[in-house]
C-alpha cells in the first residue's frame, strides 16, 4: 500500500467508523501482544496504541496502564474515552507517524497519555 492509501484506510477506521479487521488482528497483531505489553511496562506512558493497515484493512491494539489488552473496536472506544473531545486532533497528530511506520513494514506504535478531566486549568 502507498502512504496515501495507508492514510486513507487509517482515517476511515479511526475517524469514520470503517470496521476494523479481526482477521488482520489475529494474523499479525495477536502475535505481538506480549512484546507490546512488556514495552508499556518499560515506558512511562498511560497506554500503548498499535495500529496496522494491510491490503485495505486496519487492526488496532491498546494496552492500558493495567496491562489489559483491548482489541479493535474495544481499543478504539478506550482511546476515545482517554482523549474525549481531543480524540480527532490527537489522531490527526499521530496519523503521519503511523503512516510512516506502516509504509516501512512496521507496526504503527505510540505511547499515549490520559487527558485529565479538566485539562484547561480552570
Amino acid at each position: 500500500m502507498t502512504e496515501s492509501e495507508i492514510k486513507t484506510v487509517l482515517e476511515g477506521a479511526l475517524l469514520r467508523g470503517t470496521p476494523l479487521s479481526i482477521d488482520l488482528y489475529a494474523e499479525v497483531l495477536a502475535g505481538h501482544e506480549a512484546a507490546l505489553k512488556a514495552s508499556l511496562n518499560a515506558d512511562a506512558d498511560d497506554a500503548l496504541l498499535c495500529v496496522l493497515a494491510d491490503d485495505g484493512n486496519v487492526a488496532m491494539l491498546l494496552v492500558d496502564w493495567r496491562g489489559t489488552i483491548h482489541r479493535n473496536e474495544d481499543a478504539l472506544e478506550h482511546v476515545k474515552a482517554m482523549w474525549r473531545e481531543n480524540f480527532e486532533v490527537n489522531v490527526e497528530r499521530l496519523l503521519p507517524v503511523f503512516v510512516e511506520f506502516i509504509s516501512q513494514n512496521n507496526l504503527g506504535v505510540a505511547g499515549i497519555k490520559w487527558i485529565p478531566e479538566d485539562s484547561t486549568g480552570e
Side-chain angles (χ1 to χ4, degrees):
M1 294 177 63
T2 66
E3 288 188 5
S4 176
E5 291 169 330
I6 294 167
K7 183 176 187 239
T8 298
V9 297
L10 288 177
E11 287 174 335
L14 300 175
L15 299 173
R16 291 192 290 280
T18 303
L20 294 158
S21 171
I22 191 63
D23 291 337
L24 181 59
Y25 188 96
E27 292 170 14
V28 181
L29 291 186
H32 294 278
E33 287 179 350
L36 291 168
K37 187 174 179 178
S39 174
L40 176 65
N41 292 336
D43 296 332
D45 294 310
D46 294 327
L48 185 72
L49 178 61
C50 177
V51 295
L52 179 63
D54 185 46
D55 198 25
N57 295 304
V58 175
M60 173 187 270
L61 175 148
L62 176 77
V63 183
D64 70 19
W65 69 97
R66 294 178 302 244
T68 303
I69 295 173
H70 303 275
R71 297 162 186 90
N72 284 345
E73 281 79 6
D74 183 44
L76 185 58
E77 290 307 312
H78 274 77
V79 173
K80 286 179 180 178
M82 287 178 77
W83 288 342
R84 291 176 304 286
E85 54 275 338
N86 295 310
F87 175 77
E88 287 186 27
V89 170
N90 288 339
V91 167
E92 290 293 340
R93 286 182 183 151
L94 283 176
L95 275 174
V97 175
F98 289 155
V99 168
E100 182 179 344
F101 287 159
I102 295 167
S103 70
Q104 296 172 1
N105 296 317
N106 295 308
L107 300 175
V109 179
I112 60 175
K113 299 276 189 191
W114 278 97
I115 293 180
E117 288 296 325
D118 182 5
S119 58
T120 62
E122 296 177 17

